[in-house]
Amino acid sequence: MRPLTEQDIRNSFVNCSKGEAKRLAVPRDLGERPWDDLDFLGWRDPGAPDRSYLVTERGDRLVGVALRFQAAQRGFLHRSMCSVCLTTHPRGGVTLMTARKAGPAGREGNSAGLYMCTDLACSLYVRGRKIPESGIRIEESLTVDEQIARATANVHAFLDKLDA
C-alpha cells in the first residue's frame, strides 16, 4: 500500500458524511507505518472504544469505511477465526465489525458485517510480521502471496457489500 496522508484518509470515506470524516481520529503515526506490508490501513479509535476504520486502495482510488463493533463477550477457551486473513485468536481477538452502507441505503440504517481481527492487523499476520496471541497461525498450503491475494479479495468483497 502506498503511504497515506491525513487528508488522503479523510477524503476516502464512503459511508459517513464529510463532517464525520473531518472529526474522526486519524492515526498520528502515519510516517511510521509499515506501508509495504499493508494491504489496508486499519485502526481503532482511541476516543470511542466501539469504533474502527479501514482504508484501502481499490484500483486508482482510496476507499475508507467507518466500522463499529461490540466488545467481546467470549469465554477464555473460545477461539474465533478472522474472515479476512483466516488467523485464529482466543477471547476477543476477532470481532464482528459492522459498517453502514454507502448512500441512501446507509442513511436508511442498512449495514453489513464481517468478522475481523480486532486489532485490524490482518496484513501483518498473513506476512508473519505479527504473531497472534496464541503464538501460531494455522499452517496453509498457499504461498504468502496467495494468502495476501485472498485477504485482499476478502476485504474487497466486504466493500462490495457496502456499495463502496
Side-chain angles (χ1 to χ4, degrees):
M1 181 168 200
R2 68 178 170 91
L4 303 178
T5 66
E6 181 176 340
Q7 198 57 48
D8 291 335
I9 293 168
R10 292 190 189 284
N11 292 338
S12 72
F13 284 88
V14 297
N15 70 338
C16 61
S17 70
K18 289 184 186 213
E20 289 170 319
K22 185 178 180 180
R23 291 187 301 274
L24 62 84
V26 174
R28 297 289 166 221
D29 63 347
L30 293 175
E32 300 162 21
R33 295 286 173 136
W35 295 105
D36 291 339
D37 291 329
L38 297 180
D39 305 307
F40 63 85
L41 173 65
W43 73 98
R44 293 179 63 175
D45 188 330
D50 65 338
R51 291 187 186 202
S52 291
Y53 307 98
L54 182 148
V55 177
T56 191
E57 295 171 311
R58 297 232 32 206
D60 61 347
R61 72 180 187 123
L62 290 174
V63 177
V65 292
L67 304 162
R68 289 188 175 262
F69 66 95
Q70 194 170 30
Q73 305 291 326
R74 308 282 176 155
F76 178 74
L77 298 176
H78 183 83
R79 298 182 64 80
S80 298
M81 180 180 282
C82 173
S83 298
V84 173
C85 64
L86 305 187
T87 299
T88 58
H89 295 275
R91 61 185 178 288
V94 172
T95 306
L96 176 63
M97 302 278 185
T98 59
R100 188 173 60 205
K101 290 190 172 198
R107 289 190 289 276
E108 292 175 12
N110 296 322
S111 63
L114 181 71
Y115 284 95
M116 293 183 70
C117 296
T118 305
D119 62 4
L120 299 161
C122 301
S123 301
L124 301 178
Y125 290 122
V126 167
R127 289 168 173 80
R129 303 278 193 267
K130 187 168 184 177
I131 305 299
E133 188 178 327
S134 62
I136 57 167
R137 282 191 76 229
I138 295 173
E139 189 173 328
E140 294 193 58
S141 60
L142 298 178
T143 66
V144 172
D145 287 339
E146 291 169 329
Q147 291 177 52
I148 291 167
R150 179 187 59 207
T152 301
N154 290 341
V155 169
H156 288 184
F158 175 62
L159 294 175
D160 289 343
K161 291 178 185 176
L162 302 175
D163 295 324

